[in-house]
Amino acid sequence: MDDWLVEDCFEMFCRGEEGYGPFWDHALRYLNMSLEKPSNVLFLRYEELKEDPVAQTKRLAEFLGFPFSMEEEKIGVVNQIVDFCSFNNLKDLEVNKTGKMPRSIIPSNKLFFRSGKVGDYVNHLSPDAVKRLSNILKEKLSGSGLTFN
């Protein structure tokens, strides 16, 4: 990943200058809405999905009103979906290797796919940037109970 791109995107993120507004505003709105209207809004963190993809896939299906039947679970449908939607499978799709989102400053979709590991950002930011990001999120999410690993 180009250093200029990481640094530019990082600075924009820290200032809350994203296409649709600051990340933390969106996260808090969705979290609060999921607490107010749990049947209308499902709040799912990537960390939870990575920790237990089968349970979270079942949770998502139930939320959508299409829970898996015992038969589907028995024949491995949930695991097939988890495999199909896995990081490795998605990053290998042609659109994610060569495609680009319209009107994006990101030159290629492939830059959205690094390792798929929780906390990998520390391998792409300086220790000072990691600390700065941690402080910003701590401040912006203070009192919400929302945390990110």
Side-chain angles (χ1 to χ4, degrees), residues 16-43:
E17 296 173 356
E18 297 181 68
Y20 299 99
F23 161 79
W24 44 85
D25 287 352
H26 291 288
L28 290 174
R29 279 191 206 119
Y30 281 106
L31 173 65
N32 291 332
M33 209 41 131
S34 74
L35 297 172
E36 289 174 28
K37 298 180 179 185
S39 62
N40 292 1
V41 178
L42 176 66
F43 192 85

Side-chain angles (χ1 to χ4, degrees), residues 65-113:
F66 295 98
F68 294 100
S69 68
M70 293 300 283
E71 179 64 22
E72 288 172 321
E73 288 193 45
K74 194 172 167 183
I75 62 172
V77 171
V78 180
N79 287 325
Q80 289 173 356
I81 291 171
V82 167
D83 290 343
F84 184 74
C85 297
S86 71
F87 176 85
N88 287 334
N89 191 53
L90 292 176
K91 81 172 184 169
D92 288 339
L93 294 176
E94 192 60 32
V95 69
N96 293 326
K97 289 180 178 179
T98 61
K100 178 184 185 305
M101 288 179 23
R103 298 180 305 278
S104 175
I105 66 166
I106 309 294
S108 170
N109 288 347
K110 70 181 175 183
L111 295 178
F112 289 111
F113 295 87

